Amino acid sequence: MHQCCINPSILSADFVNLESELARIGSADAVHVDVMDNHFVPNLTIGLPVVERIQAVSRLPLDVHLMIQDPDRWAPGYAEAGAESVTFHVEASAAPVKLARDLRDRGAKAGMALRPATAVEPYLDLLPELDMLLIMTVEPGFGGQSFLDVTLPKIRRAADAVAGSGLPVAIQVDGGVTEETIYRAAAAGATVFVAGSAVYGAEDPDAAITSLRNAAQKALSRD
């Protein structure tokens, strides 16, 4: 049986009270931090100084997702800040292999993200350079969107490629993750799940994490 990870996205949290919002997700595996620059995506969130402060107060490791232009320049700084994993978008990177190696050299796990319409096949040769492959299940840029089932075949192809390679690369999904959709994503082969509204929109975020974990584990236990 594969084990799943639930990484709540603080994009759906109260930004005025981030430290107390972190305390509400103590049962999570990591904190998913969305960095948006209003260029690669049409939204602006937080940058490195805020992430450094989150890193300083969080009891959970940080899973940083960079939705920014020129990640080759900016991503290593997030690794140096202590993030456990840093994920960049392949559509924005000029040299993804070099960037993944730079992240690992700085002590972070290297993640690579693909937008829903980006095919995974051209990048499968990069799997040895990666620790995680993020398949976006919504268009990046905003929380609260509905899960795109059209991405499920891509998740399956990515998971099959990882299994065939024998490499310890996690398949992460981000966008529209609920108790219903997490089962389908897990059945397709994903093992790391980003959930924002489903967690922070719940009265008890920790209970929501448990429900999501149980739903995913039910699908993963079929293997």
Side-chain angles (χ1 to χ4, degrees):
M1 181 189 301
H2 298 291
Q3 296 298 313
C4 70
C5 294
I6 307 296
N7 298 2
S9 169
I10 59 170
L11 186 63
S12 298
D14 179 359
F15 273 28
V16 176
N17 300 292
L18 278 182
E19 186 170 4
S20 60
E21 291 285 75
L22 294 175
R24 301 174 70 203
I25 57 169
S27 64
D29 295 281
V31 178
H32 189 81
V33 182
D34 290 303
V35 175
M36 306 181 191
D37 65 356
N38 198 33
H39 293 287
F40 180 71
V41 293
N43 197 4
L44 182 66
T45 55
I46 59 177
L48 184 56
V50 176
V51 173
E52 288 174 333
R53 288 298 301 138
I54 295 172
Q55 174 68 30
V57 301
S58 177
R59 296 182 179 181
L60 296 171
L62 301 192
D63 168 28
V64 176
H65 177 194
L66 301 177
M67 289 169 270
I68 63 174
Q69 288 183 351
D70 200 8
D72 306 79
R73 175 183 179 185
W74 300 110
Y78 291 86
E80 292 169 355
E84 180 179 77
S85 64
V86 179
T87 298
F88 61 90
H89 270 266
V90 71
E91 302 92 349
S93 174
V97 172
K98 180 181 183 300
L99 178 52
R101 292 180 179 181
D102 286 346
L103 294 173
R104 283 177 161 181
D105 286 346
R106 287 162 173 78
K109 295 178 180 178
M112 188 175 73
L114 282 71
R115 301 180 85 142
T118 301
V120 70
E121 285 76 11
Y123 304 104
L124 293 179
D125 287 344
L126 276 60
L127 287 177
E129 308 293 339
L130 303 173
D131 300 289
M132 186 163 66
L133 185 63
L134 168 54
I135 307 296
M136 291 297 299
T137 45
V138 299
E139 288 296 339
F142 294 93
Q145 300 181 65
S146 297
F147 186 93
L148 295 173
D149 285 279
V150 70
T151 60
L152 289 171
K154 182 163 69 170
I155 295 169
R156 291 190 188 96
R157 294 194 302 272
D160 287 345
V162 168
S165 72
L167 295 167
V169 179
I171 301 294
Q172 184 181 66
V173 293
D174 181 358
V177 172
T178 65
E179 282 188 52
E180 178 197 5
T181 60
I182 198 172
Y183 183 91
R184 298 202 295 276
T191 56
V192 183
F193 307 91
V194 177
S197 303
V199 172
Y200 277 109
E203 184 175 343
D204 185 341
D206 260 334
I209 291 168
T210 298
S211 296
L212 289 168
R213 194 188 308 281
N214 290 341
Q217 208 63 62
K218 183 177 179 181
L220 294 171
S221 66
R222 302 184 315 166
D223 297 342

